[in-house]
Amino acid sequence: MKGKAIAIPYTIWMAIFVVAPLVLVVIYAFTTADGAFTLENFSHMGDYTTVFVKSFLLALIATAICLLIGYPFAYIITKQSEVFKQVAMLLIMLPMWMNFLLRTYAWMSILENNGLLNRLLSFIGLPTISIINTDAAVVLGMVYNFLPFMVLPIYSVIDKIDKSVIEAAQDLGANSGMVFRKVIFPLSLPGVLSGITMVFVPSVSTFIISKLLGGGSSLMLGDLIEMQFLGNAYNPHLGSAISLVMMVIVIICMAVMNRFGDGESEAVLL
């Protein structure tokens, strides 16, 4: 009974700030401005197919890049000394202590036409590039902001792998490549899937990055939803419908990935 009492504040917090907003989104998605039930809000989804496709495509690209960078980085850190691990974790988390908006503004000053990057290229005699207000700038911003969310769970899982399992594989004649393919990578899949989830979900719903680094030319789902709630095209019912559809698609994608991860884990155990 005492344990349940301790959980009461958390339950109240979740009910107010998580469950209640989701219920409101569902209600708004299926009602009109007069409060009548309707499915008309979902009938407009076809008008935004391009935005859905672009948002998920850019989010997938950013997630893939984070995985390609984050997994080797996390794996290398686990092989180092404890002091190196602590310093590396501090450096990874350090940017996260800075305001998300400020970090994005910093990248604007780096990537703009007269920014630090083009000044450096001009200084060393190389041609300048125009990357600001493009999809590439949006992906770069997502990778920079969300890369720690890929590194940390992968590092945590790999670092906790029992060293005796690796030694057993080596005693049975497995070389370094086989140990990684047959032991380390399969056992690290929970961290990989967690990292993919933690990067993909905020990437597909971001609007600050696409607005600042994309310059409005890269309209994504987050921008579209914001327009329905705060922009000139005020329509919270349509915005709720878009949000609900996006949540359902994301949940389906996560369920498929988790099912794949469970299958891989079972294969390793067999």
Side-chain angles (χ1 to χ4, degrees):
M1 184 65 182
K2 186 180 294 185
K4 293 182 179 180
I6 295 175
I8 290 176
Y10 174 76
T11 304
I12 295 174
W13 177 276
M14 292 291 291
I16 296 175
F17 295 104
V18 177
V19 178
L22 288 177
V23 172
L24 288 176
V25 167
V26 174
I27 293 174
Y28 267 70
F30 287 97
T31 57
T32 63
D34 299 327
F37 176 82
T38 183
L39 295 176
E40 184 179 356
N41 297 319
F42 295 93
S43 65
H44 297 288
M45 291 298 106
D47 300 336
Y48 306 108
T49 302
T50 304
V51 179
F52 272 88
V53 172
K54 185 174 185 178
S55 298
F56 278 86
L57 179 60
L58 293 183
L60 285 172
I61 293 174
T63 304
I65 295 174
C66 286
L67 180 59
L68 291 175
I69 297 175
Y71 193 100
F73 187 58
Y75 179 73
I76 292 172
I77 293 176
T78 60
K79 301 297 182 181
Q80 309 305 315
S81 65
E82 289 300 322
V83 175
F84 186 93
K85 291 178 182 178
Q86 293 175 5
V87 174
M89 289 298 101
L90 176 63
L91 294 177
I92 291 172
M93 293 186 293
L94 192 60
M96 299 171 63
W97 298 347
M98 186 185 301
N99 183 272
F100 180 88
L101 189 59
L102 292 179
R103 298 201 305 266
T104 308
Y105 271 120
W107 271 105
M108 286 182 63
S109 64
I110 294 173
L111 300 178
E112 62 185 8
N113 294 332
N114 295 321
L116 297 177
L117 178 60
N118 280 329
R119 290 181 185 179
L120 176 62
L121 293 175
S122 299
F123 179 77
I124 61 179
L126 295 177
T128 60
I129 58 175
S130 180
I131 189 174
I132 194 70
N133 299 334
T134 64
D135 291 344
V138 175
V139 172
L140 179 59
M142 289 191 288
V143 170
Y144 170 76
N145 281 291
F146 304 133
L147 181 60
F149 299 122
M150 181 68 73
V151 175
L152 293 176
I154 295 176
Y155 164 79
S156 178
V157 172
I158 296 179
D159 194 51
K160 292 178 181 177
I161 294 177
D162 192 347
K163 300 300 186 291
S164 62
V165 177
I166 299 175
E167 293 173 356
Q170 293 172 338
D171 291 341
L172 293 173
N175 57 33
S176 299
M178 291 183 64
V179 170
F180 178 78
R181 294 195 309 270
K182 300 294 185 179
V183 179
I184 296 177
F185 181 72
L187 291 178
S188 67
L189 277 178
V192 172
L193 294 176
S194 178
I196 290 175
T197 303
M198 294 174 67
V199 173
F200 178 77
V201 172
S203 294
V204 77
S205 59
T206 185
F207 66 94
I208 288 295
I209 295 176
S210 55
K211 177 180 291 186
L212 297 181
L213 299 183
S217 60
S218 297
L219 184 65
M220 297 182 65
L221 281 173
D223 303 299
L224 184 61
I225 294 171
E226 185 203 21
M227 289 169 54
Q228 306 305 319
F229 284 94
L230 300 175
N232 294 328
Y234 181 76
N235 189 346
H237 299 276
L238 177 58
S240 297
I242 297 172
S243 302
L244 187 60
V245 171
M246 184 187 70
M247 284 192 293
V248 171
I249 295 175
V250 169
I251 290 172
I252 293 174
C253 292
M254 295 303 104
V256 170
M257 284 194 296
N258 289 332
R259 186 64 178 270
F260 171 77
D262 293 339
E264 289 290 332
S265 300
E266 292 174 3
V268 172
L269 294 175
L270 293 175

